[in-house]
Amino acid sequence: MEKLFDINEEGYSIRCKLYYNKDIHAIKNVVIATHGFGGFKENKSIEKFAERIDSKYKDFAVICFDWPCHGQDARKKLLLEECQTYLRLVTNYANEQLKAEKLFNYSVSFGAYNTLKYIYDNENPFKKIALRSPGIRMYEALNNSISDDARTKLDKGKEISLGYQRLIKISKDFLDDLKANDLTKLEFFDMADDILLIHGLKDEMIPPAYSEDFAEANVIELIEVENADHRFSNPNCLDFAIQKIIEFFANSL
């Protein structure tokens, strides 16, 4: 089953989608799934993940949502602080409205960056966290994709547009915020057993070495997938990643 809904709290309207198995009152475990930069909640990889976990475990549900300025979100200026607020409000919804007994997190790229920042800055609400193609060094990933002309505009205080399904306006302030919040300078030892990293060795956007260094520094399990690009566009690679994530979550039940 699928349900579209909005979370209207604190002046925000977060566009969400819920996947669940027939009876919404039977939900015990909730996975918060977040997309990457320029993506949106209506994406096939999250849908496939939700279908797989719902077919295997009847009491699981999956919530995905549009980050600020992404998908159908109405905000115009991307702010890292508001991304953190969205994740907090969706987490609160899962706990308070769905009465989740256990929360999990499956995040990709920019979503993975936001998740790691969130659990470092706050008490970690998630039983297990699976991060695919994680944006460990998100500043470098975005900065390297900017042309010289666009960089000149940023230096002049103008905004530029980046993205895929929807172009996202970003400012130099946003990039500076990413740079200041460098995950590689933080320690995640205390949560290492509850985190799984999955990275494709053919990732053209975020070098696998970023995940390798982060995993080694924090003693986090890393699964590298030989033929996978950033989006895991190869169906076999995506199926493999989904299976590993479901197994990782199931081990904590």
Side-chain angles (χ1 to χ4, degrees), residues 102-169:
K102 292 180 181 178
L103 282 181
F104 299 82
N105 184 292
Y106 164 39
S107 290
V108 176
S109 193
F110 180 59
Y113 170 88
N114 277 307
T115 295
L116 286 170
K117 176 172 168 50
Y118 186 85
I119 65 172
Y120 184 85
D121 291 342
N122 305 274
E123 183 178 352
N124 178 20
F126 305 113
K127 186 72 176 176
K128 296 289 181 181
I129 298 167
L131 307 175
R132 177 169 64 78
S133 308
I136 301 298
R137 292 162 60 178
M138 201 67 214
Y139 169 77
E140 284 89 341
L142 286 183
N143 192 52
N144 291 341
S145 68
I146 297 173
S147 68
D148 290 340
D149 287 344
R151 202 178 307 280
T152 299
K153 290 181 180 179
L154 288 172
D155 290 340
K156 292 180 178 180
K158 298 180 180 179
E159 294 179 333
I160 63 170
S161 296
L162 296 175
Y164 304 98
Q165 286 93 347
R166 170 179 166 181
L167 291 177
I168 313 301
K169 291 183 178 180

Side-chain angles (χ1 to χ4, degrees), residues 192-216:
D193 290 342
D194 299 324
I195 301 174
L196 172 67
L197 305 181
I198 300 179
H199 209 125
L201 291 177
K202 292 186 177 180
D203 192 325
E204 72 286 4
M205 295 184 61
I206 299 178
Y210 289 5
S211 285
E212 293 167 1
D213 292 344
F214 185 77
E216 182 177 358

